[in-house]
Amino acid sequence: MLSAEAIEKIEYELAKYPKDRRQAAVMSALRIVQIERGWLSKESVTDVAKYLGIPEIAAMEVASFYNMYDLQPVGQYKITVCTNISCMLRGSDEIVDHLQHTLGVGFNEVTADGKFCIKEGECMGCCGGAPLLHVNNTHMHEFLTTEKVDALLEELNKG
Amino acid sequence: MAEQTTKMATRKSSSAKKAARPVVMTDLTGQTLVTLRTLNEKNPASLATYEKLGGYAQLKRLVTEKIKAPEIINQVKVSNLRGRGGAGFPTGLKWSFMPRYYDGTKYLVCNTDEGEPGTFKDRDIIRYNPHQLIEGMAIAAYTLGARVGYNYIHGEIWQDYEIFEAALAEAREAGYLGENLFGSNFSFDLYAVHGYGAYICGEETALIESIEGKKGQPRFKPPFPASYGVFGKPTNVNNTESYASIPWIMQHGGQAFADLGVPNSGGSKLFSVSGHVEKPGNYEIRMGTPFKELLEMAGGIWKGRQLKAVIPGGPSTAVMPARAIENATMDYDGLSKAGSSLGAGSMIVMDDTTCMVKTLKRLSYFFYEESCGQCTPCREGTGWVYRIIERIVDGKGKMEDLDLLTDLSNNISGRTICALGDAAATPVLSFIKHFRPEFEYYIQHGKSMVDGK
Ligand SMILES: Cc1cc2nc3c(=O)[nH]c(=O)nc-3n(C[C@H](O)[C@H](O)[C@H](O)COP(=O)(O)O)c2cc1C
Ligand code: SF4
Ligand code: FES
């Protein structure tokens, strides 16, 4: 079952499309439910499919095709570091090493306290701010240094 | 960037008739502000700022004076504006492909899905000057008879997506979007929609699939979007920067825009400069500006090092060694004469400490990871290419691998549904062509000639 808030947000997205094209809203519906629940379980994907009145497989195909949907738990904070060329040229490897060393996990692993997960990302279209990362798909942190990463982790640890 | 001081510079346009001297805004860094017109203002993204600079006046003029579509399309043709998404297709010509008379909804789509490594220009348009994009799209919708528009925004830039949505709400409120604009019978609704981490959705038909709520797998063309696009309806797709150029063209005339650039490359253009420069960022400059000037604007090579190579238009354009680009000009013909192409204007700069073998490894991984998997040559070929380069970097390469890489890449190119196949082949072919000794050294010694690791 979707929450009332999720439904309200999905309805806002549905209004962008013709009435008989409810599937079009699946991208945003999955995003909305993922943000609310932390990740997309099979049940969550089913809930979205049911609400939109589309086959479950259609929703699952979308959820598994796009990299920013998480079909596994990612902890409280998912940290995605871009390692593509422009970021690599400005030291993204060092940022990744520092994060992995500090948190004691590799890519796609969640820390024991369930707080953090590190992911490798492709180009985010912000290469002028390299090296960079985003937290939970929404908050971009650019021009990173290892000190800035430490400050960010400290702040997130408080939250 | 928004704090830069403004100076206004006038430039004589040789052939503009009515507006004899269009006022071209520049700033002290030497940028020519066309699509980033609001950049020097305090609140660049706000409606009030945009209106103060003459924003939405062109939309209002065209609609209330009932200017005819062919006249508008003609100005766009005269402007020499070529699609800024990478392929450089003339925008005016594309607009003329949309069916004029069609009984049903036509759609307008804006492609803000930039995810080609090194490309980050459209982001600055939506976060610093969203209203100019909205006005450009509304003018296009009026011209092409589109009733509904979508701006598809890269999912990773969420904060900028929200800025754009806020701008849409402002524009609706002010009567620049919605029903019967300015009391006419022209109505246009525009919405923001988003991707969620798939480079391939930058390809226009994959993007259309994604708008429809499907996985982003490109469609066979033809039919082209102009006849079969969103929900199977006629659809015009342009890049963000292409649409954002339109209000300026309408204000000053197509010729004035053409005159900003050089023959065959009209206008100014945003160049995203990233990598080993002192001041990475977007620089809006006139087409035809020498590479050296652009590099200087970006502060030159960082740490006092030497230039080694440049990828001038994103990884789907060929890498150029320093000597090939040093005297080139930044426009379609200039870069093609120098052995590459302009692409989306995404200039990735590499200094003399860059290992080309490892750099190519990362790019090959990207294309392998982002192939949508529909075509065998692309799906299998990109994986194969990546594994060979990985093997070389792991010190297990063989000399034959270099010819194998070339053969494989030639076999992907031209045999696929979309241009990602060609894009994947380009870095492999051009890196090996220009930096072969580095690859040979790596294979012979099991380590990099550049960093010794
Ligand atoms: C793999 C691939 C990725 C692309 N990515 C983008 C993109 O991020 N942004 C864009 O505007 N065009 C991109 N394109 C080009 C679009 O398919 C299309 O040509 C363009 O949006 C048309 O707009 P324009 O004529 O204004 O350039 C891409 C093409 C391919 C094959
Ligand atoms: S060329 Fe590659 S990305 Fe393009 S449709 Fe074929 S498999 Fe998909
Ligand atoms: S390469 Fe990292 S954001 Fe583009």
Side-chain angles (χ1 to χ4, degrees), chain A residues 82 84 86-87 123-127:
Chain A
C82 171
N84 212 311
S86 301
C87 289
C123 177
M124 303 192 185
C126 305
C127 337

Side-chain angles (χ1 to χ4, degrees), chain A residues 16 31 66-67 83 86 89-90, chain B residues 150 192 194 214 274-276:
Chain A
K16 298 176 178 178
R31 165 183 55 84
Y66 297 88
N67 293 335
T83 60
S86 301
L89 292 173
R90 294 188 82 94
Chain B
Y150 296 109
H194 64 81
K214 302 176 194 151
S274 69
H276 294 153

Side-chain angles (χ1 to χ4, degrees), chain A residues 14-86:
Chain A
L14 276 165
K16 298 176 178 178
Y17 309 99
K19 288 206 162 45
D20 59 344
R21 299 285 182 171
R22 293 176 66 87
Q23 177 163 350
V26 70
M27 296 277 291
S28 38
L30 289 169
R31 165 183 55 84
I32 289 161
V33 173
Q34 170 164 301
I35 289 172
E36 193 179 272
R37 301 183 183 175
W39 63 289
L40 289 174
S41 65
K42 235 179 136 240
E43 293 68 44
S44 295
V45 176
T46 306
D47 287 348
V48 167
K50 276 204 185 121
Y51 188 77
L52 295 178
I54 63 173
E56 261 170 63
I57 181 73
M60 190 42 98
E61 258 182 17
V62 168
S64 56
F65 185 84
Y66 297 88
N67 293 335
M68 288 164 68
Y69 297 117
D70 300 307
L71 300 176
Q72 303 290 331
V74 288
Q76 193 179 349
Y77 298 110
K78 178 179 75 162
I79 299 176
T80 313
V81 190
C82 171
T83 60
N84 212 311
I85 179 164
S86 301

